């Protein structure tokens, strides 16, 4: 008789583990691990939330008292740290657990919610909320909703509508606010009603150079490209240099760097004479990276300083 795996044994003796397995949540959490390098505290918090909801369901099945959980969240961190991806997976997890009817994600910014004249904001905000019902509304750079310095700003109207819907429809909508940590702290400090409705505050740390290199390898594999040995060394150097420049955006900057390397790779192959093999089509070399401004000792005088791309 075949022996069962440790996971199967755990599921057989632990009702929470069994529920996790049967719900498909374990599969989604594993997918999150594959999609996102690092972010250990974020993944741990998402797992804790999933476990809490599973235990609440088990308690309800056995007749114990359970309060309706507050699932509105705040994701804070710099650009490119995976906030949108985690929000998408969170929507799927809540759908599989039965807390959301659809489990889709609607991502918006201030411009999607706030109007430019009297009577414009309410219908815009309500239309977005209607689209998001049954799923997750992800509001990026949410602090731009609140502009106290402008007396004629209509952001406060959008906030008041959001507050009402977050309270009255919390069994059919989860709102996730996202943005830089310091600005989000100020936003919640200026809106105590909003802060009281957000139960989960999750901070997304910046990636470290080895993690960014892993992210690059993951992206290259998805696109069916690869670095040769020298290019891999050059890219490690590129990451360190790029992180020291302004406007670094973590995984987003890595993707931009790879896109530009692919452009140089394509231009290089265009000038190649003779047949081009599969290996050449797939392989990025050091020269495809060394052409970046990051490696130049002198700035490009043809571009204004504030507009020079860190490509």
């Amino acid at each position: 008789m075949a022996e069962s795996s440790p996971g199967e044994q755990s599921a057989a003796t632990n009702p929470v583990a069994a529920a996790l397995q049967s719900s498909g949540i374990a599969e989604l959490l594993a997918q999150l691990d594959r999609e996102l390098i690092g972010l250990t505290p974020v993944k741990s918090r998402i797992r804790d939330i999933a476990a809490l909801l599973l235990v609440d369901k088990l308690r309800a099945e056995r007749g114990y008292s359970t309060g309706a959980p507050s699932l509105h969240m705040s994701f804070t961190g710099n650009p490119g740290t995976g906030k949108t991806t985690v929000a998408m997976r969170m929507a799927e997890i809540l759908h599989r657990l039965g807390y959301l009817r659809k489990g889709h994600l609607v991502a918006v910014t201030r411009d999607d919610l706030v109007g430019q004249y009297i009577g414009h904001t309410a219908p815009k905000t309500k239309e977005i909320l209607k689209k998001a019902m049954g799923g997750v509304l992800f509001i990026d750079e949410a602090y731009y909703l609140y502009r106290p310095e402008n007396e004629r700003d209509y952001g406060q109207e959008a906030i008041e509508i959001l507050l009402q819907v977050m309270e009255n429809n919390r069994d059919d909508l989860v709102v996730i606010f996202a943005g830089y940590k310091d600005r989000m702290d100020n936003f919640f400090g200026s809106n105590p009603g909003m802060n009281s409705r957000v139960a989960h505050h999750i901070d997304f740390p910046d990636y470290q150079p080895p993690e960014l290199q892993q992210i690059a390898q993951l992206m290259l594999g998805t696109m069916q490209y690869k670095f040769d040995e020298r290019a891999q060394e050059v890219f490690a150097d590129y990451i360190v240099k790029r992180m020291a420049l302004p406007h670094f955006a973590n995984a987003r900057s890595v993707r931009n760097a790879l896109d530009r390397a692919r452009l140089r790779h394509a231009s290089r192959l265009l000038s190649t004479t003779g047949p081009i093999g599969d290996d050449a089509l797939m392989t990025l070399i050091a020269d495809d990276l060394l052409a970046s401004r990051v490696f130049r000792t002198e700035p490009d005088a043809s571009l204004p300083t504030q507009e020079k791309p860190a490509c």
Side-chain angles (χ1 to χ4, degrees):
M1 186 169 134
E3 293 186 5
S4 58
S5 69
E8 291 171 336
Q9 292 172 7
S10 174
T13 58
N14 185 330
V16 178
L20 184 70
Q21 199 170 65
S22 63
S23 66
I25 303 305
E27 177 188 339
L28 282 174
L29 293 173
Q31 183 180 355
L32 195 63
D33 273 330
R34 292 192 300 270
E35 289 179 341
L36 293 178
I37 304 297
L39 296 181
T40 300
V42 174
K43 295 173 183 175
S44 177
R45 186 65 181 277
I46 297 303
R47 184 177 291 275
D48 289 345
I49 292 171
L52 172 65
L53 298 179
L54 281 168
V55 169
D56 273 358
K57 289 178 72 70
L58 286 173
R59 285 173 56 86
E61 289 171 3
R62 300 186 186 186
Y64 293 113
S65 173
T66 57
S70 176
L71 296 172
H72 303 307
M73 305 179 189
S74 169
F75 288 179
T76 55
N78 290 323
T81 48
K83 297 185 291 295
T84 305
T85 300
V86 172
M88 291 172 62
R89 295 291 160 257
M90 198 71 237
E92 294 180 49
I93 288 170
L94 296 175
H95 175 56
R96 293 205 184 183
L97 288 173
Y99 285 92
L100 291 175
R101 289 182 294 115
K102 300 177 181 178
H104 64 300
L105 180 83
V106 175
V108 300
T109 62
R110 170 191 163 91
D111 289 345
D112 299 297
L113 299 168
V114 181
Q116 297 178 342
Y117 51 84
I118 295 175
H120 191 205
T121 295
K124 283 188 74 171
T125 303
K126 290 176 181 177
E127 181 62 26
I128 290 295
L129 287 166
K130 182 179 178 181
K131 290 179 181 177
M133 282 297 169
V136 168
L137 175 62
F138 182 83
I139 306 177
D140 199 13
E141 298 184 311
Y143 33 75
Y144 286 130
L145 288 174
Y146 183 67
R147 290 180 172 171
E149 73 282 357
N150 186 353
E151 295 180 358
R152 300 184 63 184
D153 184 71
Y154 303 109
Q156 187 60 39
E157 184 180 358
I159 289 173
E160 290 170 2
I161 295 170
L162 283 168
L163 286 172
Q164 183 179 14
V165 173
M166 287 169 65
E167 183 64 28
N168 296 341
N169 298 84
R170 61 180 180 171
D171 58 344
D172 197 36
L173 176 71
V174 170
V175 179
I176 299 178
F177 300 94
Y180 292 107
K181 180 170 176 50
D182 55 345
R183 296 186 186 182
M184 290 300 293
D185 288 345
N186 290 335
F187 172 69
F188 286 120
S190 303
N191 295 274
M194 187 74 75
N195 190 40
S196 66
R197 286 169 173 79
V198 175
H200 305 282
H201 293 260
I202 304 176
D203 189 38
F204 286 64
D206 286 330
Y207 290 108
Q208 297 304 305
E211 294 172 331
L212 292 167
Q213 292 172 44
Q214 291 181 59
I215 288 169
Q217 294 294 342
L218 187 64
M219 290 177 177
L220 287 172
T222 301
M223 297 184 290
Q224 294 187 303
Y225 280 85
K226 62 180 179 179
F227 287 141
D228 67 8
E229 186 174 346
R230 174 64 179 141
Q232 195 161 334
E233 295 172 358
V234 170
F235 190 77
D237 189 27
Y238 171 91
I239 287 297
V240 174
K241 292 179 182 296
R242 180 64 186 89
M243 289 178 74
L245 295 176
H247 312 302
F248 179 68
N250 289 282
R252 198 174 301 165
S253 288
V254 168
R255 180 175 293 281
N256 290 341
L258 295 180
D259 285 344
R260 290 172 183 128
R262 289 171 55 222
L263 285 172
R264 299 180 190 115
H265 166 263
S267 294
R268 178 168 54 80
L269 293 186
L270 187 64
S271 62
T272 301
T273 57
I276 299 175
D278 288 347
D279 194 59
L281 284 171
M282 296 175 62
T283 305
L284 301 177
I285 66 173
D287 285 348
D288 299 327
L289 297 164
L290 288 169
S292 167
R293 188 182 69 86
V294 168
F295 293 107
R296 299 175 200 167
T297 55
E298 294 296 330
D300 186 348
S302 66
L303 292 175
T305 301
Q306 68 272 22
E307 295 180 3
K308 289 173 187 173
C311 54

